[in-house]
Amino acid sequence: MKIGIVCYPTFGGSGVLATELGMALSDKGHEVHFITYKQPVRLALGFHPNLYFHEVKVPTYPLFDFPPYETALASAMVDVIVNQRLDVLHLHYAIPHASAAYFARQILLKTGRDIPFITTLHGTDITLVGRDPTYEPVVTFSINESDAITAVSQNLKDETLREFKIEKDIHVIPNFVDVKRFHQTDKGHFKKMLAPEGERILVHVSNFRPVKRVADVVKVFNIVRQHIPAKLLMIGDGPDRQANEDMARCMGIYQDIRYLGKQEQISEILSIADLFLLPSESESFGLSALEAMACMVPLVSTNAGGLPEINVNGKTGFLSAVGDVEDMAKHALYILSDDQRLAQFKKNAIAQARKFEKQHIIPMYEQLYSEVVTAHAAKRALSV
Ligand code: GMT
């Protein structure tokens, strides 16, 4: 099948998931065309046959305070759909991808062409940004115009149906992990460098946006290190990073925290970690946590959104209420203060991650593509 994938090319979870999906589909023999404004970060990691990248160029002009990306994207979609003869277009993150696809479809219909499009809802496109009245009418309309809709967790599906007037079924297709790439490797020398006295290593990975509550990561760590020797690795970058570093300095614990910035070979770092902290205010799934679990890292998280669908309380880690740093610290200490218990949580984490292995999830997308393409062809045949 020839599949177009539209996504954000950044370190955000939706772009990462879309890129992993495209790479997996191309490995299975599909021809995949990424349409986005920059090469997706994870695409740089290796060569994949049948994989193409089409850059959306957004010309600037002195009149534009806001260059019209959506217009440029719709034009790029038309170009790629026609010239690469795509069968289906898969949009990751509703805004503005679903509305740009609707626009592209209207242009194509004038020339007698049409292909189906699928919108995958990832999280903040529904829970935060999409429900903002500034965007809501366009988001609702363009989701409903999609030939199929998927959500990355049951919780996100429920929330979408609660918040928007959706007239179609929403398929739940969870995030997945490639366990061949995400697995624990022996990085003893690296561990020794970061934790020379055998300290426990806690880790957090995110894009440091307010929704991630990175201040809570440092607060939890501050309590943990008062009881056991520990180090914290902060991976990623974003608007709250500077304030977070300042806070750690003020608390006098900066020397025990390493801010590693954006990282591409993340599984190597996860390999030396003992615990992943994810105190998000809202989290539709938590792909970074799943990748950590695949590297045998248990999870102390909030119970927000879809997190209870991956983090089994008392088994793969623990769930706490948003903002309850005392409870998260208590759970972290419970896991970390006993070698045998930690080993068991690590085993449970990887067993849970295996349920989300890519070979279980990719066929769900393939099945949906073929259903949508068949239904669309039948509808067009009827209308001729
Ligand atoms: O918030 C992020 O980390 C990025 C965000 C995005 O949309 O790019 O991630 C969302 O999509 C991921 C992949 O489906 C999910 O695993 C994340 O839980 C989700 N983030 C939130 O809901 C906050």
Side-chain angles (χ1 to χ4, degrees):
M1 204 175 276
K2 292 187 172 199
I3 303 154
I5 292 186
V6 181
C7 64
Y8 284 104
T10 57
F11 279 91
S14 61
V16 168
L17 196 277
T19 311
E20 294 285 350
L21 174 62
M23 294 191 296
L25 289 166
S26 95
D27 288 345
K28 289 187 86 173
H30 299 284
E31 189 176 300
V32 177
H33 294 263
F34 281 96
I35 308 170
T36 183
Y37 59 84
K38 202 168 70 184
Q39 170 153 304
V41 278
R42 288 233 177 138
L43 210 56
L45 294 181
F47 174 75
H48 289 264
N50 316 321
L51 220 157
Y52 302 82
F53 163 54
H54 306 269
E55 188 175 326
V56 180
K57 301 243 169 37
V58 193
T60 52
Y61 184 68
L63 196 63
F64 300 156
D65 275 343
F66 306 100
Y69 176 63
E70 194 171 341
T71 307
L73 175 62
S75 296
M77 286 174 179
V78 171
D79 177 68
V80 178
I81 290 168
V82 171
N83 291 316
Q84 305 297 334
R85 310 187 73 77
L86 298 187
D87 297 307
V88 62
L89 192 62
H90 190 172
L91 316 156
H92 291 263
Y93 207 88
I95 309 165
H97 303 150
S99 48
Y102 174 76
F103 197 175
R105 165 177 276 172
Q106 297 311 306
I107 296 166
L108 287 169
L109 281 171
K110 292 270 179 206
T111 65
R113 283 188 62 95
D114 190 15
I115 64 163
F117 69 90
I118 297 170
T119 301
T120 288
L121 309 172
H122 280 273
T124 50
D125 44 353
I126 293 300
T127 56
L128 212 67
V129 194
R131 68 157 64 130
D132 185 310
T134 327
Y135 295 117
E136 186 278 325
V138 175
V139 173
T140 305
F141 175 81
S142 50
I143 291 176
N144 278 324
E145 285 296 318
S146 310
D147 293 85
I149 310 160
T150 80
V152 298
S153 64
Q154 182 62 42
N155 177 272
L156 185 61
K157 171 179 175 170
D158 296 343
E159 184 140 2
T160 307
L161 294 175
R162 226 178 7 251
E163 294 291 330
F164 297 82
K165 286 199 173 63
I166 300 299
E167 296 150 3
K168 292 199 166 97
D169 187 24
I170 299 179
H171 305 257
V172 175
I173 305 186
N175 285 181
F176 58 88
V177 63
D178 181 352
V179 291
K180 283 214 185 85
R181 290 211 339 271
F182 285 87
H183 61 96
Q184 197 179 47
T185 48
D186 181 16
K187 293 281 161 201
H189 58 290
F190 183 35
K191 190 164 190 160
K192 190 113 194 90
M193 203 174 83
L194 290 167
E197 307 299 328
E199 297 93 332
R200 298 292 195 209
I201 297 184
L202 292 82
V203 68
H204 171 77
V205 182
S206 79
N207 40 29
F208 286 60
R209 286 182 292 153
V211 72
K212 302 292 177 181
R213 295 182 67 98
V214 284
D216 286 359
V217 175
V218 172
K219 287 180 194 166
V220 171
F221 175 67
N222 187 36
I223 302 174
V224 169
R225 67 183 284 288
Q226 287 166 23
H227 295 88
I228 56 170
K231 298 280 183 189
L232 172 64
L233 304 180
M234 296 289 274
I235 303 171
D237 210 335
D240 287 351
R241 175 171 167 181
Q242 190 56 54
N244 198 261
E245 292 202 39
D246 293 345
M247 179 181 155
R249 276 195 201 92
C250 279
M251 292 167 90
I253 60 174
Y254 191 78
Q255 71 285 356
D256 285 331
I257 306 179
R258 288 286 283 266
Y259 289 86
L260 297 173
K262 292 177 181 169
Q263 294 286 331
E264 279 170 16
Q265 303 296 347
I266 221 153
S267 69
E268 296 188 358
I269 306 170
L270 291 170
S271 286
I272 64 162
D274 297 302
L275 188 71
F276 191 93
L277 294 176
L278 193 60
S280 307
E281 182 165 343
S282 154
E283 197 70 66
S284 67
F285 183 91
L287 178 60
S288 58
L290 177 63
E291 292 180 340
M293 286 160 82
C295 295
M296 296 190 83
V297 188
L299 172 62
V300 163
S301 72
T302 56
N303 54 12
L307 284 170
E309 292 173 46
I310 59 163
N311 191 11
V312 186
N313 201 36
K315 212 165 170 214
T316 60
F318 286 99
L319 300 160
S320 303
V322 173
D324 195 344
V325 290
E326 299 283 340
D327 197 52
M328 286 183 253
K330 185 184 85 189
H331 289 144
L333 283 164
Y334 177 77
I335 296 173
L336 295 172
S337 57
D338 181 278
D339 283 344
Q340 260 183 335
R341 196 182 294 143
L342 176 60
Q344 188 57 52
F345 271 90
K346 287 186 174 202
K347 273 193 205 143
N348 296 347
I350 191 172
Q352 173 73 348
R354 286 205 180 105
K355 295 185 188 154
F356 298 92
E357 267 189 54
K358 72 172 184 180
Q359 64 262 37
H360 304 316
I361 310 297
I362 303 299
M364 295 184 184
Y365 281 114
E366 289 177 292
Q367 169 80 21
L368 184 64
Y369 293 158
S370 80
E371 280 171 19
V372 162
V373 168
T374 308
H376 188 260
K379 203 164 98 190
R380 275 180 64 80
L382 274 178
S383 66
V384 175

